[in-house]
Amino acid sequence: MPSATTPIQIDGSYGEGGGQIIRTSLSLSAITGQPFEITNIRAGRSKPGLQPQHLAAVRAAQIICCAHLEGDSIGSTRLAFSPGTPVQPGTYRFEIGTAGAATLVAQTVLCPLGLANGDSEVTIVGGTHVPHAPPADYLLGSYIPAIRATGLEACGDYSRAGFFPKGGGEIRLAIRARARPGAVAMTERGALRSLTAFIVTSELPDHVFDRGASTVDGYMKGIGRRVDIERREKPSLGPGAAVVLSAECENGLAGFSSLGERGKPMEKVAEQACRDFLAWWKTGAAVDEHLSDQLVLPAVLTPGEHRWTTPMVTEHLRTAVWVAGKFVPLEYDFEEQAPDVHLVRLRS
């Protein structure tokens, strides 16, 4: 039965005003059992309201906690979500049906299932390498390793790639019940332990990979960095390419990606990811700006003080903290330590 608790009211146009507000609310509601009502969903976007990938996250969150829904339709600018049970571990398959980001659906359910009383296996079908979302290689190579600091444990792979506009990629995750909670402590990143470039191609000639790999190798040699290059040739419903760099430091993690598109040479795709890595490296911050806002959810669900440094305090970061504060008691501050280094402190 839906909870009798008064729903938390959330303005979906606040801050960055996008799907992050929806996904963060879904995760926290499923975990805490608190219902919420969100209005003005994506009010400032060219297509306001719920789109297929947002609705896929809603339905996934609904399934894992038997939630009662209102407003769960394409284009809806209002959503009411009320968990019916604690999060249920198990075997799940979620199909977006479009090239909507499978990784964002994964991030919606990963923390709730990781805090459930048992292990889970999750398969998500949709876009694995699409604009405005972390690619599958970033999810597996940067995000999941980073949240292990909070005791959440998962691993996975993807058997098929899903590029825009056809999607059809498939991500599989094994999520283990959390054993030992811990705090995020990534402030001084230390030396670079490894730098890996994942060159992802589907339905393209071999020379596309070769050109991407040659560009990455040449760029990194030019700045005195060693890089391991891994080819990921994946089946897909259509052609596509991406370059994802994963940096692991003594006490920091970051990832950088660039997607191929018609008319964009593979050299440009590879160069963009390399330039983004170098820009981050010069700042001295321990995590990249995107990982910074993605750390908020696992951090606020883990007792203790969490600290990490990021190149900037983005609107996504501020919005994630604002939403989290609606569901859990939270203390936080952002401290500028240098023009390109900001310390994030969270305590819940």
Side-chain angles (χ1 to χ4, degrees):
M1 294 292 292
S3 170
T5 304
T6 302
I8 295 169
Q9 298 297 311
I10 298 171
D11 181 357
S13 67
Y14 179 89
E16 63 90 18
Q20 178 196 40
I21 296 177
I22 303 165
R23 293 185 298 272
T24 304
S25 298
L26 290 168
S27 299
L28 286 164
S29 178
I31 292 164
T32 65
Q34 299 176 85
F36 72 89
E37 179 182 28
I38 180 171
T39 54
N40 301 320
I41 293 173
R42 304 178 69 252
R45 301 303 167 94
S46 57
K47 289 185 177 181
L50 294 172
Q51 297 305 307
Q53 76 174 27
H54 310 116
L55 194 55
V58 170
R59 296 279 166 75
Q62 175 197 28
I63 289 170
I64 65 174
C65 65
C66 302
H68 174 74
L69 294 177
E70 294 178 13
D72 53 322
S73 60
I74 300 297
S76 175
T77 58
R78 171 189 173 271
L79 174 71
F81 184 95
S82 181
T85 68
V87 175
Q88 303 296 304
T91 299
Y92 296 99
R93 182 180 178 89
F94 306 120
E95 300 205 22
I96 299 174
T98 68
T103 54
L104 295 178
V105 175
Q107 288 184 335
T108 303
V109 300
L110 199 158
C111 287
L113 289 173
L115 295 172
N117 187 27
D119 299 340
S120 296
E121 305 287 333
V122 177
T123 301
I124 307 169
V125 180
T128 61
H129 298 78
V130 293
H132 313 301
D137 316 87
Y138 183 97
L139 176 82
L140 301 171
S142 297
Y143 175 74
I144 286 178
I147 68 172
R148 286 183 182 133
T150 66
L152 292 166
E153 186 62 47
C155 61
D157 60 13
Y158 64 104
S159 57
R160 298 179 58 86
F163 296 95
F164 184 83
K166 294 186 176 181
E170 184 171 290
I171 297 174
R172 296 176 180 173
L173 296 175
I175 304 170
R176 303 303 173 220
R178 183 163 74 174
R180 295 183 179 179
V184 177
M186 291 189 284
T187 54
E188 303 292 333
R189 71 180 176 205
L192 183 65
R193 284 179 172 170
S194 66
L195 180 63
T196 304
F198 302 104
I199 313 291
V200 185
T201 59
S202 295
E203 309 298 325
L204 293 171
D206 287 345
H207 69 76
V208 175
F209 163 79
D210 295 337
R211 287 159 45 210
S214 177
T215 300
V216 170
D217 187 56
Y219 191 99
M220 291 304 167
K221 283 182 178 176
I223 62 172
R225 293 291 169 191
R226 180 182 178 278
V227 60
D228 295 317
I229 297 176
E230 180 177 324
R231 182 173 188 171
R232 290 186 168 174
E233 173 66 29
K234 299 286 186 177
S236 71
L237 297 180
V243 175
V244 182
L245 289 177
S246 181
E248 180 185 355
C249 301
E250 290 177 323
N251 195 36
L253 288 160
F256 311 91
S257 60
S258 181
L259 302 179
E261 57 185 85
R262 186 179 295 276
K264 184 177 182 180
M266 191 59 173
E267 290 83 355
K268 292 294 185 182
V269 177
E271 183 180 348
Q272 183 61 59
C274 292
R275 287 184 180 275
D276 289 346
F277 161 76
L278 182 58
W280 167 76
W281 184 257
K282 287 180 177 179
T283 69
V287 307
D288 68 80
E289 65 203 63
H290 304 295
L291 184 55
S292 180
D293 70 73
Q294 293 167 23
L295 282 172
V296 170
L297 180 61
V300 301
L301 296 170
T302 309
E305 181 172 280
H306 305 266
R307 299 158 58 93
W308 63 87
T309 52
T310 177
M312 64 182 73
V313 177
T314 64
E315 200 63 38
H316 277 80
L317 173 58
R318 293 185 185 278
T319 303
V321 171
W322 176 80
V323 175
K326 297 280 189 179
F327 289 87
V328 296
L330 178 63
E331 298 175 6
Y332 70 92
D333 67 83
F334 308 128
E335 176 187 332
E336 183 177 358
Q337 297 186 327
D340 293 321
V341 180
H342 298 258
L343 175 65
V344 180
R345 281 192 292 257
L346 293 179
R347 176 180 288 275
S348 61

PDB file of all heavy atoms in Angstrom, residues 92 125 187 202 205 220 245 312 322 342:
ATOM      1  N   TYR A  92      16.596  -8.320 -12.338  1.00  0.00           N
ATOM      2  CA  TYR A  92      15.746  -7.364 -13.028  1.00  0.00           C
ATOM      3  C   TYR A  92      16.244  -7.124 -14.460  1.00  0.00           C
ATOM      4  O   TYR A  92      17.443  -7.183 -14.726  1.00  0.00           O
ATOM      5  CB  TYR A  92      15.750  -6.017 -12.291  1.00  0.00           C
ATOM      6  CG  TYR A  92      15.154  -6.062 -10.905  1.00  0.00           C
ATOM      7  CD1 TYR A  92      15.980  -6.152  -9.786  1.00  0.00           C
ATOM      8  CD2 TYR A  92      13.778  -6.001 -10.718  1.00  0.00           C
ATOM      9  CE1 TYR A  92      15.444  -6.185  -8.503  1.00  0.00           C
ATOM     10  CE2 TYR A  92      13.230  -6.035  -9.440  1.00  0.00           C
ATOM     11  CZ  TYR A  92      14.065  -6.126  -8.335  1.00  0.00           C
ATOM     12  OH  TYR A  92      13.524  -6.166  -7.078  1.00  0.00           O
ATOM     13  N   VAL A 125      18.593  -2.267 -21.136  1.00  0.00           N
ATOM     14  CA  VAL A 125      18.719  -2.166 -22.589  1.00  0.00           C
ATOM     15  C   VAL A 125      18.350  -0.749 -23.028  1.00  0.00           C
ATOM     16  O   VAL A 125      17.275  -0.240 -22.680  1.00  0.00           O
ATOM     17  CB  VAL A 125      17.796  -3.187 -23.287  1.00  0.00           C
ATOM     18  CG1 VAL A 125      17.921  -3.078 -24.808  1.00  0.00           C
ATOM     19  CG2 VAL A 125      18.130  -4.609 -22.832  1.00  0.00           C
ATOM     20  N   THR A 187      40.835  13.969  -1.659  1.00  0.00           N
ATOM     21  CA  THR A 187      41.167  15.394  -1.681  1.00  0.00           C
ATOM     22  C   THR A 187      42.517  15.646  -2.357  1.00  0.00           C
ATOM     23  O   THR A 187      42.627  16.496  -3.226  1.00  0.00           O
ATOM     24  CB  THR A 187      41.172  15.972  -0.261  1.00  0.00           C
ATOM     25  OG1 THR A 187      42.045  15.191   0.575  1.00  0.00           O
ATOM     26  CG2 THR A 187      39.773  15.940   0.340  1.00  0.00           C
ATOM     27  N   SER A 202      31.614   0.313 -33.413  1.00  0.00           N
ATOM     28  CA  SER A 202      30.594  -0.659 -33.831  1.00  0.00           C
ATOM     29  C   SER A 202      30.294  -0.456 -35.307  1.00  0.00           C
ATOM     30  O   SER A 202      30.052   0.678 -35.745  1.00  0.00           O
ATOM     31  CB  SER A 202      29.311  -0.481 -33.027  1.00  0.00           C
ATOM     32  OG  SER A 202      29.496  -0.779 -31.668  1.00  0.00           O
ATOM     33  N   PRO A 205      34.873   0.333 -40.139  1.00  0.00           N
ATOM     34  CA  PRO A 205      36.119  -0.287 -40.598  1.00  0.00           C
ATOM     35  C   PRO A 205      37.211  -0.241 -39.533  1.00  0.00           C
ATOM     36  O   PRO A 205      37.200   0.618 -38.646  1.00  0.00           O
ATOM     37  CB  PRO A 205      36.510   0.556 -41.823  1.00  0.00           C
ATOM     38  CG  PRO A 205      35.274   1.278 -42.225  1.00  0.00           C
ATOM     39  CD  PRO A 205      34.471   1.474 -40.973  1.00  0.00           C
ATOM     40  N   MET A 220      49.255  11.649 -25.896  1.00  0.00           N
ATOM     41  CA  MET A 220      49.775  11.372 -24.557  1.00  0.00           C
ATOM     42  C   MET A 220      51.306  11.339 -24.537  1.00  0.00           C
ATOM     43  O   MET A 220      51.927  11.777 -23.563  1.00  0.00           O
ATOM     44  CB  MET A 220      49.196  10.060 -24.029  1.00  0.00           C
ATOM     45  CG  MET A 220      47.710  10.148 -23.721  1.00  0.00           C
ATOM     46  SD  MET A 220      47.334  11.494 -22.560  1.00  0.00           S
ATOM     47  CE  MET A 220      45.546  11.581 -22.705  1.00  0.00           C
ATOM     48  N   LEU A 245      38.434   7.950 -21.736  1.00  0.00           N
ATOM     49  CA  LEU A 245      39.665   7.865 -20.960  1.00  0.00           C
ATOM     50  C   LEU A 245      39.322   7.681 -19.490  1.00  0.00           C
ATOM     51  O   LEU A 245      38.458   8.380 -18.957  1.00  0.00           O
ATOM     52  CB  LEU A 245      40.500   9.139 -21.111  1.00  0.00           C
ATOM     53  CG  LEU A 245      41.185   9.388 -22.454  1.00  0.00           C
ATOM     54  CD1 LEU A 245      41.894  10.733 -22.424  1.00  0.00           C
ATOM     55  CD2 LEU A 245      42.169   8.286 -22.771  1.00  0.00           C
ATOM     56  N   MET A 312      35.297  22.377 -10.283  1.00  0.00           N
ATOM     57  CA  MET A 312      34.307  23.444 -10.168  1.00  0.00           C
ATOM     58  C   MET A 312      33.070  22.936  -9.437  1.00  0.00           C
ATOM     59  O   MET A 312      32.806  21.734  -9.413  1.00  0.00           O
ATOM     60  CB  MET A 312      33.913  23.978 -11.553  1.00  0.00           C
ATOM     61  CG  MET A 312      33.225  22.970 -12.437  1.00  0.00           C
ATOM     62  SD  MET A 312      32.833  23.644 -14.088  1.00  0.00           S
ATOM     63  CE  MET A 312      34.470  23.699 -14.794  1.00  0.00           C
ATOM     64  N   TRP A 322      20.861  19.826  -3.060  1.00  0.00           N
ATOM     65  CA  TRP A 322      19.546  20.396  -2.701  1.00  0.00           C
ATOM     66  C   TRP A 322      18.487  19.299  -2.624  1.00  0.00           C
ATOM     67  O   TRP A 322      17.704  19.244  -1.669  1.00  0.00           O
ATOM     68  CB  TRP A 322      19.167  21.457  -3.737  1.00  0.00           C
ATOM     69  CG  TRP A 322      17.802  22.045  -3.546  1.00  0.00           C
ATOM     70  CD1 TRP A 322      17.433  23.024  -2.649  1.00  0.00           C
ATOM     71  CD2 TRP A 322      16.612  21.706  -4.273  1.00  0.00           C
ATOM     72  NE1 TRP A 322      16.092  23.296  -2.775  1.00  0.00           N
ATOM     73  CE2 TRP A 322      15.559  22.507  -3.768  1.00  0.00           C
ATOM     74  CE3 TRP A 322      16.332  20.804  -5.305  1.00  0.00           C
ATOM     75  CZ2 TRP A 322      14.254  22.433  -4.261  1.00  0.00           C
ATOM     76  CZ3 TRP A 322      15.035  20.725  -5.802  1.00  0.00           C
ATOM     77  CH2 TRP A 322      14.015  21.534  -5.276  1.00  0.00           C
ATOM     78  N   HIS A 342      38.014  22.950  -5.814  1.00  0.00           N
ATOM     79  CA  HIS A 342      36.991  23.220  -4.798  1.00  0.00           C
ATOM     80  C   HIS A 342      36.804  21.982  -3.936  1.00  0.00           C
ATOM     81  O   HIS A 342      36.659  20.869  -4.467  1.00  0.00           O
ATOM     82  CB  HIS A 342      35.662  23.605  -5.463  1.00  0.00           C
ATOM     83  CG  HIS A 342      35.742  24.855  -6.280  1.00  0.00           C
ATOM     84  ND1 HIS A 342      35.273  26.062  -5.831  1.00  0.00           N
ATOM     85  CD2 HIS A 342      36.266  25.075  -7.511  1.00  0.00           C
ATOM     86  CE1 HIS A 342      35.483  26.979  -6.750  1.00  0.00           C
ATOM     87  NE2 HIS A 342      36.090  26.394  -7.782  1.00  0.00           N
TER      88      HIS A 342
END
